Amino acid sequence: MTRWPLPEPMALALQEAQAAADSGEVPIGAVIVKDGRVIATGRNAPRERHDPTSHAEIEAIRAAARLLGNERLEGCELWVTLEPCAMCAGAIAHARIGRVYYAASDPKGGAVEHGARVFEHPQCLHRPEVYAGIGEAQAAQMLRGFFQAKR
Amino acid sequence: MTRWPLPEPMALALQEAQAAADSGEVPIGAVIVKDGRVIATGRNAPRERHDPTSHAEIEAIRAAARLLGNERLEGCELWVTLEPCAMCAGAIAHARIGRVYYAASDPKGGAVEHGARVFEHPQCLHRPEVYAGIGEAQAAQMLRGFFQAKR
């Protein structure tokens, strides 16, 4: 539960998640921060883009790497509204992202603190610092609302 | 070790791997087959594309999904020259690929039979059939040659 104003990057990630919901996609959003500034955003859009890899984190990482002209995002932070899945955790490691902040944890599909625990194996060549829970209540409420409306 | 002619999709994946090496990228290639026909190819190109997600499997999956206009590649096979990493295994699951054939296993970065073992957790919502070893000698030799030339 968050009792203080949300940090700007997480507030922006939640806006991206809402934009995903408005397009009929599962509401998940992400932003990349470098040197205190937001340099890229992404939202979940696999149906709209006909792309199973179009998760919020992947879209944000690809946009940031394109912007920087470098496949490594050293010194960057990723803020995302849900615990990353195995695909996204792998991408975070490949991109050499320094810190990951995620809002809600995802026992059903997460791969950071659940399931594959991608960062915890020697095969993971880069392990970011991970901080969980900032914005959890808002992110979880948005997901619940989305799936309730779908029924 | 392969003692018979390689199946056409793996031969093509090895050609893609060679094309990656020719561009200075780690030689890994992939193809997607549907109904017995190759519908998409991909090769490892993170440096060239400034995209940390540009692994052979991801490129092939994105191309196939774009072609089919569907983020789910049901009934498709993925042929790839190296054991998929966590990112690519996750993408394979999201894409609902039915079968994965990989050539060489990858103790250092693989996440199918090593490390995160992405398909073996309940958080993995789709588990493909997996076949390993076809083309192993050729794929491993190409990787060894690439890294020896780099030294």
Side-chain angles (χ1 to χ4, degrees):
Chain A
M1 186 66 83
T2 307
R3 279 158 295 185
W4 293 273
L6 281 177
E8 189 199 344
M10 191 59 84
L12 196 50
L14 284 162
Q15 282 177 29
E16 287 292 318
Q18 185 59 56
D22 294 344
S23 305
E25 306 271 4
V26 177
I28 306 166
V31 312
I32 307 266
V33 171
K34 185 178 169 67
D35 301 330
R37 286 180 44 237
V38 171
I39 63 166
T41 64
R43 58 184 173 83
N44 193 46
R47 288 183 191 82
E48 183 185 324
R49 291 179 182 259
H50 303 311
D51 180 354
T53 74
S54 178
H55 284 197
E57 301 94 316
I58 300 282
E59 294 293 343
I61 286 170
R62 298 182 76 224
R66 207 159 45 226
L67 181 81
L68 299 176
N70 192 333
E71 84 276 17
R72 297 201 173 173
L73 303 180
E74 273 151 22
C76 289
E77 300 170 354
L78 175 77
W79 295 70
V80 57
T81 58
L82 190 67
E83 179 185 350
C85 71
M87 175 179 75
C88 293
I92 286 164
H94 291 312
R96 306 292 194 271
I97 285 173
R99 286 185 185 177
V100 175
Y101 297 85
Y102 65 81
S105 49
D106 182 10
K108 286 189 186 166
V112 176
E113 58 176 303
H114 296 96
R117 291 181 167 77
V118 167
F119 300 136
E120 297 182 18
H121 301 275
Q123 285 80 3
C124 181
L125 302 177
H126 168 83
R127 185 181 181 173
E129 296 174 27
V130 176
Y131 303 90
I134 301 171
E136 182 176 5
Q138 294 91 326
Q141 174 55 38
M142 205 182 287
L143 284 160
R144 268 196 305 273
F146 179 80
F147 286 112
Q148 276 164 2
K150 283 283 213 187
R151 272 182 214 136
Chain B
M1 184 69 82
T2 307
R3 281 158 293 183
W4 292 272
L6 281 177
E8 189 198 346
M10 191 58 86
L12 196 52
L14 285 161
Q15 282 177 30
E16 287 292 318
Q18 186 59 55
D22 294 345
S23 305
E25 306 272 5
V26 177
I28 306 166
V31 312
I32 307 265
V33 171
K34 186 177 168 69
D35 300 330
R37 287 180 45 237
V38 172
I39 62 165
T41 63
R43 58 186 174 81
N44 193 47
R47 288 184 190 82
E48 183 184 323
R49 292 179 182 258
H50 303 312
D51 180 355
T53 74
S54 179
H55 284 197
E57 301 94 315
I58 300 282
E59 294 293 345
I61 286 169
R62 296 181 77 225
R66 206 160 46 227
L67 181 80
L68 299 176
N70 191 332
E71 84 275 17
R72 297 201 172 173
L73 303 179
E74 273 151 22
C76 289
E77 299 170 356
L78 175 78
W79 295 70
V80 57
T81 59
L82 190 67
E83 179 185 350
C85 71
M87 175 180 75
C88 293
I92 287 164
H94 291 313
R96 307 291 195 272
I97 285 174
R99 287 183 184 178
V100 175
Y101 296 84
Y102 65 83
S105 49
D106 182 8
K108 286 189 186 167
V112 176
E113 57 177 305
H114 297 95
R117 292 180 167 79
V118 168
F119 300 137
E120 298 182 18
H121 302 275
Q123 285 80 3
C124 181
L125 301 179
H126 168 85
R127 185 181 182 176
E129 294 175 27
V130 176
Y131 303 90
I134 301 172
E136 181 174 7
Q138 293 92 324
Q141 175 54 38
M142 204 182 287
L143 284 159
R144 268 196 305 274
F146 179 80
F147 286 112
Q148 277 166 2
K150 283 283 213 186
R151 273 185 212 134

